[in-house]
Amino acid sequence: PSWPDPRRVVSGAGGSARIHGNTITGALGIASDGTTSAGIIVTTYYGAGTQATIGNNTITGNTAAVDVGYDNNDTSNVVAFNNDFSGNGVELESTNATQDFTGNYWGTTDDAAILGLMTGVDAGSVNFSTFLTNGPDADPASLGFQGDFSHLIVTSLGGGTNRLGEAVSEVDAGGTINVNAGTYTLPSTLVIDKSLSLVGAGEGATTIDGSGVNNNYAMRVKADDISLSGFTLEAGANTWGGMSVFSQT
């Protein structure tokens, strides 16, 4: 884990922290035992129940952007959304904790490279299933980092159980969601109720698996100006059908 350096934010001892609208940089210190530092550290080491929400921050130029958890017994809970995490040595260090890191900018559009910037025993289960493609602040006049949600990428890497649903919720109306190669299992009907383009990596590469949806359609299209392309949609024995398209009026 990353440990003490005066230039970082720590949430611990069972506390609940909301860390919003900041620039956090320069956490590069090395403790006497050789451990390094991070822009934000969240841990239950000092007490159970620690949680943090991290949003609208620019966290850059640190040894690690965020360190979640001290050891395999750590149960910290972190939700980080709409942050710029680019330009750190490691973007996330994670142990046995719960992390939702969807809707952030990581400095690259390569999902494997993003996963490679995460370390720790729990790194492979971090939910970063949707991420931004553009880094510049979309609204510099507003407080804190404002991400560009007009174009999102969805990955099958890492954790996450409702990847496509999260992407539809997060993308701007009229925006584009690129769905990387992989199989995306729907936990329930995927409802698309805003104009958008959902673009897979090809029929043989991207599969939307709705076979587990019972007594409903796998996908419902409920808005105008929706474009769907480049994927295979699967329905199951108890699914009403693959897709329904109807007007809201």
Side-chain angles (χ1 to χ4, degrees):
S2 298
W3 284 104
D5 181 303
R7 294 169 293 184
R8 62 18 181 163
V9 178
V10 178
S11 178
S16 177
R18 179 179 181 272
I19 305 167
H20 278 238
N22 306 284
T23 295
I24 302 173
T25 188
L28 301 170
I30 300 176
S32 58
D33 63 357
T35 54
T36 57
S37 191
I40 298 174
I41 298 173
V42 184
T43 178
T44 57
Y45 180 78
Y46 300 106
T50 303
Q51 54 188 311
T53 59
I54 303 169
N56 303 109
N57 301 286
T58 298
I59 304 175
T60 187
N62 306 287
T63 303
V66 182
D67 190 338
V68 182
Y70 176 75
D71 57 24
N72 293 349
N73 297 313
D74 201 298
T75 57
S76 300
N77 190 316
V78 178
V79 175
F81 178 75
N82 199 6
N83 300 278
D84 180 353
F85 287 131
S86 63
N88 300 281
V90 174
E91 303 302 357
L92 175 66
E93 294 180 327
S94 173
T95 59
N96 184 30
T98 302
Q99 315 89 25
D100 185 344
F101 275 70
T102 62
N104 297 289
Y105 178 64
W106 301 94
T108 178
T109 58
D110 184 333
D111 53 356
I114 295 171
L115 184 60
L117 291 170
M118 300 179 183
T119 64
V121 296
D122 199 38
S125 63
V126 173
N127 181 8
F128 70 101
S129 58
T130 63
F131 55 91
L132 309 182
T133 62
N134 297 310
D137 194 324
D139 186 5
S142 296
L143 176 66
F145 175 75
Q146 306 294 326
D148 180 357
F149 284 83
S150 66
H151 186 191
L152 301 180
I153 294 178
V154 181
T155 176
S156 62
L157 301 180
T161 59
N162 190 23
R163 301 167 192 261
L164 297 179
E166 289 178 342
V168 170
S169 176
E170 294 170 6
V171 73
D172 291 339
T176 298
I177 301 170
N178 283 99
V179 185
N180 285 353
T183 297
Y184 299 83
T185 301
L186 299 179
S188 58
T189 299
L190 177 64
V191 178
I192 303 178
D193 55 3
K194 67 176 77 169
S195 62
L196 57 79
S197 295
L198 186 69
V199 184
E203 294 177 45
T206 300
T207 298
I208 300 176
D209 182 3
S211 61
V213 177
N214 295 320
N215 300 317
N216 210 327
Y217 294 96
M219 183 183 298
R220 284 182 176 268
V221 176
K222 300 174 61 177
D224 295 330
D225 300 320
I226 293 173
S227 174
L228 308 173
S229 62
F231 57 82
T232 294
L233 176 62
E234 295 181 346
N238 296 317
T239 308
W240 290 350
M243 184 187 304
S244 70
V245 182
F246 61 92
S247 172
Q248 298 188 79
T249 59

